[in-house]
Amino acid sequence: MDAGDRLARQIEVMRQMLADTEPASLRTSYLADPSAGNPVLQGSTATALIARWNVRSSGLWVPASSQEPAPIDLTAVFLTPEEIFGFQLPSDYSRRQLQHLPLEGVLRFCALTLNALSVPWASASAVDRQFADLLFKEPIRGRVLNLLRDENRRLLVPQAFMLLARMAVEASPDTLAEDTSQGDVLGALFGLTQTMGVFPDSGPTVIGDRPGTLGREIIANQHFNHNWSVAGFLARYARRWLQLPAEHHGEPGIVNLSQAYQDCTGIRLEYLAAVAGFLWMVTTSGRFVIEPDELTSLDIPAEQVEAVLALISTDLTGIRQAVRSERPEQRTEWSFDPFQRWPVLRLPEGRLLILDPRHLLNRAFGWLPILDIKFPPPEHTKPAGHRKRAGQAESTLRHLSEVYVSEVLHRITGDEGTTRRVYDDAELKAAYTAQGQRIADAAIDYPGTWIVIEVTTSQLRREAATAVPGESQIEDIDKLIEELDQIDATIAALRRDEAALTGAPARAARRFLPLLVLPEGFPVNPVTLTVIRERARIRGLLQAPDTDPVEIVDIEELEMIEGIQEESGPSMLDILRDKQSGGLRNAAVRDHILHGMRLRPGRPARQSDLFEAALKPFTDALPRPPQDSPAGSTDETSGGLA
């Protein structure tokens, strides 16, 4: 066969591949675009409906379009002044503008946005578009709206508004002189976004057993921007602060948290909840400034209302003093301590401004009331034995947080009647009694796998949460490594003698999945998981071939799994195993549930009653509407019939 015949043969083979299986009647009835990115079906000029396929680790072939994102795909990026206006702003522009803006006006501007973003049902993208329409004129408005078509771009950044409020407290006057020109509040805001997160040295880009400068910032960023379900947050408050202390009354070390709060502060805990609940409910209606007489309608003694406000609010002079007294070496782009301690700001004429509702909720319903017990208001006389009582209150809350986690685990696994899946701390200690044996808090028996769980109420210290340079983040992570030692020792005990716990020998080789539960939350991301797993490897923990990589969850993620179980969804083991084989294996469990599995878990059914219990002090304090008198009764004020 000569060269010409070979060429003709090759052309014929190509023709058969491209078009030979296509019906003749279709060959001239449509146009095809055989270009890059538009593959065609073999033997046809028809464009493939599903262009590409990817194979999962399980062997399943899925369309490339359904591939779950990588962690970086979940990161939102804010717009810079250069993108918005077409040029950069001078480095001192923000401070110069704030010097020509009254403080109250700047705080109202910040509160307007932070409250809009904090409404429980708000969409950040929708709020961005609404504010773009409100704040900009053409052609800037069109440019910004086009940039926001990318769902991972953001215009309004909570951190920037908090930084603007903090800088205004330092630089803005109370009032402007009549001949002073008004500053540019928008320019001041976006001047801050131009410099946020910019460091001369970002440190190593490859993460090992230390987070480095960039990793430190990522941890603080995730800690600050962590979002939680308001209903779940309040439900946990009701269970841990109100119900469980009563149910465990009389147990060694357990104190009544409500009584301890009143003894140490002089304020009834339900009044704190009522006032804070009222203020928060107002913000959900779109208002962030409350008139002073609105609180007088609550059925609460006036002196108790004032005591609560004295605890959670300060005036503009007070917030100036607090911000200016912060130690410079402890101050970062993530530290807003005064605003978190006093989430309510008293404006002139007694008006109350809620800067960020998230801070208000955390101040009254989160962990911070424990600090009120430990550090009472100076005007209140400490009770006898205050230090001991405060320590008991904190240990009570920590213990009951672990009890709450156990309740959720039992609901996830459906332990009922004779069915036994979850083995708690007491059963583990009874089964493994060797001298010095370290025991985890729980173990869950799944077919072929044990999930071994340690619960710790440890939280990031302030320095670690706000990215203060130093060793604080590593020190906090090393505390978690100590908890992994408990899990590792329990796995060894189960591997050695499972029957001591279950009463029956293992029917086949088991795998172990270590799970660390931090009820108060922890920023889980590729940096923190890498550092924790690497430091565990250096310590020789959880390295056996039958042991999966450690996972970390908070209580809200466990409640998401609880909601999935109520909807007959995949088990907790399936969710964790699927995560470890997916593109989000180094991200948080919630990221895998929402973006990898594309699930939208419903709220667990039990939270409805708990949510109502949390807000009961507020609803009880609302004024009662006048009741209609029964027909035929006498109205004594008028002398006639009602």
Side-chain angles (χ1 to χ4, degrees):
M1 181 181 296
D2 60 20
D5 291 335
R6 283 197 299 272
L7 178 60
R9 178 60 179 162
Q10 290 172 345
I11 292 173
E12 176 60 18
V13 170
M14 293 174 63
R15 187 195 68 77
Q16 291 175 0
M17 289 178 62
L18 292 174
D20 199 48
T21 60
E22 184 177 74
S25 60
L26 296 180
R27 292 180 185 172
T28 58
S29 62
Y30 66 92
L31 296 175
D33 178 20
S35 57
N38 290 301
V40 298
L41 299 176
Q42 183 170 338
S44 170
T45 55
T47 303
L49 294 179
I50 298 179
R52 291 183 176 84
W53 297 79
N54 291 326
V55 62
R56 298 291 299 272
S57 58
S58 63
L60 178 67
W61 285 84
V62 297
S65 59
S66 69
Q67 187 78 355
E68 62 185 284
I72 196 170
D73 298 322
L74 308 181
T75 303
V77 182
F78 55 78
L79 301 183
T80 65
E82 190 168 8
E83 292 174 304
I84 295 170
F85 305 115
F87 54 85
Q88 289 192 350
L89 297 170
S91 59
D92 63 343
Y93 189 81
S94 297
R95 186 170 291 274
R96 285 194 290 109
Q97 296 309 307
L98 289 173
Q99 291 169 347
H100 295 275
L101 288 164
L103 175 58
E104 182 178 336
V106 178
L107 293 176
R108 283 175 176 261
F109 172 68
C110 295
L112 172 68
T113 310
L114 291 170
N115 277 265
L117 290 170
S118 296
V119 173
W121 49 85
S123 159
S125 297
V127 175
D128 272 350
R129 292 191 295 270
Q130 292 168 3
F131 273 70
D133 280 331
L134 176 68
L135 299 176
F136 300 114
K137 297 179 180 179
E138 295 296 346
I140 294 177
R141 179 192 293 123
R143 181 187 306 144
V144 169
L145 289 174
N146 276 329
L147 290 168
L148 291 176
R149 294 179 67 183
D150 181 344
E151 61 182 17
N152 289 327
R153 302 305 304 275
R154 290 289 180 269
L155 174 66
L156 308 174
V157 185
Q159 179 199 8
F161 285 94
M162 290 302 301
L163 285 172
L164 184 66
R166 191 177 76 181
M167 184 178 286
V169 165
E170 296 178 297
S172 294
D174 288 333
T175 59
L176 292 181
E178 292 185 2
D179 59 345
T180 303
S181 60
Q182 186 92 343
D184 173 17
V185 69
L186 269 184
L189 170 69
F190 292 114
L192 288 172
T193 65
Q194 183 172 281
T195 58
M196 281 184 348
V198 177
F199 299 95
D201 179 16
S202 61
T205 56
V206 177
I207 301 299
D209 65 339
R210 306 183 71 82
T213 304
L214 179 60
R216 187 167 61 233
E217 287 295 308
I218 291 173
I219 291 170
N221 186 320
Q222 189 173 351
H223 182 271
F224 174 82
N225 288 298
H226 174 66
N227 290 318
W228 25 255
S229 158
V230 172
F233 187 78
L234 293 177
R236 290 189 289 277
Y237 162 81
R239 190 73 183 129
R240 297 190 302 173
W241 278 88
L242 306 179
Q243 295 181 353
L244 285 174
E247 293 174 14
H248 290 260
H249 175 70
E251 294 182 11
I254 300 297
V255 299
N256 184 313
L257 293 176
S258 296
Q259 189 62 52
Y261 192 85
Q262 183 173 352
D263 292 343
C264 294
T265 67
I267 300 169
R268 293 178 61 172
L269 187 63
E270 60 264 36
Y271 291 159
L272 172 67
V275 173
F278 174 81
L279 296 175
W280 173 73
M281 290 293 289
V282 171
T283 68
T284 64
S285 68
R287 292 196 296 128
F288 53 87
V289 175
I290 293 90
E291 296 297 326
D293 60 351
E294 291 187 56
L295 285 170
T296 62
S297 64
L298 295 176
D299 186 18
I300 298 175
E303 66 274 11
Q304 283 285 295
V305 173
E306 186 54 40
V308 171
L309 290 178
L311 198 65
I312 67 173
S313 72
T314 188
D315 58 18
L316 299 188
T317 299
I319 198 69
R320 284 190 193 278
Q321 292 173 346
V323 169
R324 290 170 176 170
S325 64
E326 290 181 295
R327 292 158 52 192
E329 68 274 12
Q330 293 290 312
R331 200 180 205 193
T332 71
E333 291 182 346
W334 303 103
S335 56
F336 308 108
D337 296 13
F339 298 101
Q340 293 164 342
R341 180 179 178 184
W342 297 295
V344 181
L345 298 178
R346 295 186 189 232
L347 302 178
E349 301 180 2
R351 294 185 179 91
L352 304 175
L353 180 142
I354 313 302
L355 186 63
D356 188 335
R358 297 182 310 163
H359 296 157
L360 175 62
L361 285 174
N362 198 45
R363 181 66 181 83
F365 299 102
W367 194 271
L368 291 182
I370 280 291
L371 298 184
D372 295 335
I373 295 175
K374 296 175 70 173
F375 308 103
E379 64 274 10
H380 180 73
T381 302
K382 295 180 182 179
H386 165 258
R387 180 175 296 181
K388 178 180 179 181
R389 189 157 178 78
Q392 289 175 326
E394 183 172 11
S395 64
T396 293
L397 184 59
R398 292 187 184 278
H399 174 68
L400 296 181
S401 296
E402 296 175 1
V403 171
Y404 183 80
V405 170
S406 178
E407 291 181 343
V408 176
L409 292 175
H410 281 275
R411 292 186 69 90
I412 286 174
T413 58
D415 272 6
E416 295 178 359
T418 58
T419 304
R420 189 55 179 270
R421 297 283 294 280
V422 179
Y423 294 86
D424 291 312
D425 172 80
E427 287 85 9
L428 287 165
K429 286 181 177 177
Y432 304 111
T433 59
Q435 185 70 26
Q437 173 70 56
R438 298 178 304 282
I439 292 297
D441 289 317
I444 305 180
D445 183 4
Y446 280 99
T449 300
W450 282 98
I451 297 181
V452 183
I453 300 167
E454 180 68 16
V455 183
T456 175
T457 53
S458 295
Q459 304 176 53
L460 286 179
R461 288 173 297 167
R462 180 203 172 277
E463 294 81 2
T466 58
V468 173
E471 296 295 304
S472 59
Q473 289 185 344
I474 282 296
E475 291 169 357
D476 284 357
I477 286 174
D478 279 343
K479 292 180 183 177
L480 301 184
I481 301 301
E482 295 300 322
E483 306 295 339
L484 297 186
D485 186 51
Q486 304 283 98
I487 296 178
D488 190 71
T490 304
I491 289 175
L494 285 167
R495 187 187 292 120
R496 182 175 62 251
D497 185 10
E498 179 179 313
L501 179 65
T502 65
R507 287 172 291 182
R510 292 277 210 156
R511 291 200 61 80
F512 301 92
L513 197 158
L515 181 65
L516 194 58
V517 179
L518 286 86
E520 304 308 313
F522 183 81
V524 177
N525 55 59
V527 172
T528 54
L529 270 186
T530 298
V531 171
I532 288 170
R533 289 169 176 170
E534 180 62 16
R535 294 181 82 81
R537 185 193 65 79
I538 293 171
R539 288 273 301 271
L541 299 174
L542 308 175
Q543 300 303 303
D546 61 0
T547 304
D548 294 332
V550 63
E551 293 290 348
I552 300 175
V553 297
D554 62 26
I555 189 59
E556 189 159 72
E557 288 165 331
L558 283 184
E559 290 172 332
M560 292 172 71
I561 296 173
E562 180 186 352
I564 292 171
Q565 301 309 292
E566 290 183 0
E567 298 166 356
S568 301
S571 71
M572 179 162 72
L573 178 62
D574 290 337
I575 292 170
L576 297 178
R577 279 276 166 79
D578 190 62
K579 174 182 181 289
Q580 295 195 341
S581 64
L584 296 173
R585 56 188 170 274
N586 288 326
V589 169
R590 76 182 65 231
D591 293 330
H592 175 68
I593 290 173
L594 298 175
H595 303 286
M597 304 181 77
R598 292 179 171 83
L599 297 176
R600 291 296 178 267
R603 195 192 330 164
R606 62 181 176 79
Q607 284 190 354
S608 296
D609 290 341
L610 290 173
F611 179 71
E612 293 180 7
L615 291 182
K616 187 177 185 300
F618 159 59
T619 56
D620 286 349
L622 289 176
R624 295 290 181 267
Q627 298 293 320
D628 292 335
S629 300
S633 64
T634 300
D635 183 348
E636 295 180 356
T637 61
S638 65
L641 295 178

